[in-house]
Amino acid sequence: MDTENTRTERDRSSATDRPDPVPAAEPGTAAGTVEEGPRSRRFPGLARVAGLLGGTWRRSALLAVVCLGAVLLVSRFVVQPFHIPSGSMEPTLRTGDRVLVNKLVYGPDAEPERGDLIVFDGTGSFVREGAAANPVQEAVRGAFAAVGLAEPAETDFVKRVIGVGGDRVVCCDKEGRITVNGTALDERYLHPGDAPSDVAFDIVVRPGTLWVMGDHRSDSRDSRDHLGDPGGGMVPVENVIGRADWIAWPAGRWGSLEGTDAFARVPDAPEGSLAS
């Protein structure tokens, strides 16, 4: 028997069966540890989830921007929320109400009518021209006001149209009622206990302007308070923002704002007064 050959073969087999030696650790690395690869390589599922979440946030942000832009466009040109800051229009509108102002109702062929509840910019009629405000602050405030999250500008007002161009509006007749073109008004929308007016006046509304008053006459600063100002308290039609048509908030007061028949019997203004 060739014992040398047998030993050699056995030794070769034994060497093959032994596990490979553990490589020596790099300097500064604990023995027996394996160098870690990138986290995304070790946990591919985590990388996919992170990618999906990142895409979701980007889509959500883009959707929010688009929605905000759409709301601002609608508010600018179609319907704008308006916060009622005082009780000058009670009981029709209460402090804190939010109304929706219809901006499409008026145009070259459709001007405000007697009895309409209008929102208008009082600059130059109810408020004197002042220094220009900070444009950035005004832009931010305007954006928040456009969605009903901020107070309206100090120059914005809501009142009821009592007289249009050419009308003669007088306070008061023997029974204490306001007359328009000689016809007494039955103003059932007035605040309970209020007189039609504590201020006597007799005016003819200039063409292109409006005579406006609040429903809570004893708590309203309106055209009567600006009789001595330039413009005589009359609001230019071009300054009208729109008509208040709906109450949107609070929830218990949702609904449309009904018109009034108080002016149904008022005749048109004489032709001569419209040209004056």
Side-chain angles (χ1 to χ4, degrees), residues 115-147:
D116 285 358
L117 295 175
I118 62 168
V119 173
F120 61 93
D121 179 0
T123 303
S125 57
F126 280 31
V127 179
R128 294 182 179 180
E129 298 279 358
N134 184 299
V136 176
Q137 292 179 346
E138 281 299 297
V140 173
R141 187 211 62 78
F144 278 97
V147 294

Side-chain angles (χ1 to χ4, degrees), residues 40-109:
S40 59
R41 188 185 306 164
R42 292 183 294 115
F43 302 104
L46 181 62
R48 286 195 295 270
V49 171
L52 290 175
L53 288 176
T56 300
W57 279 111
R58 284 193 294 271
R59 287 192 294 270
S60 299
L62 178 61
L63 180 61
V65 170
V66 171
C67 290
L68 179 60
V71 169
L72 291 176
L73 283 174
V74 170
S75 177
R76 176 67 177 84
F77 297 106
V78 184
V79 176
Q80 178 178 346
F82 185 85
H83 178 265
I84 303 302
S86 73
S88 68
M89 290 301 297
E90 291 178 344
T92 307
L93 299 174
R94 302 174 185 171
T95 303
D97 282 353
R98 280 175 169 77
V99 299
L100 298 181
V101 179
N102 185 345
K103 292 187 169 184
L104 299 179
V105 67
Y106 301 131
D109 300 324

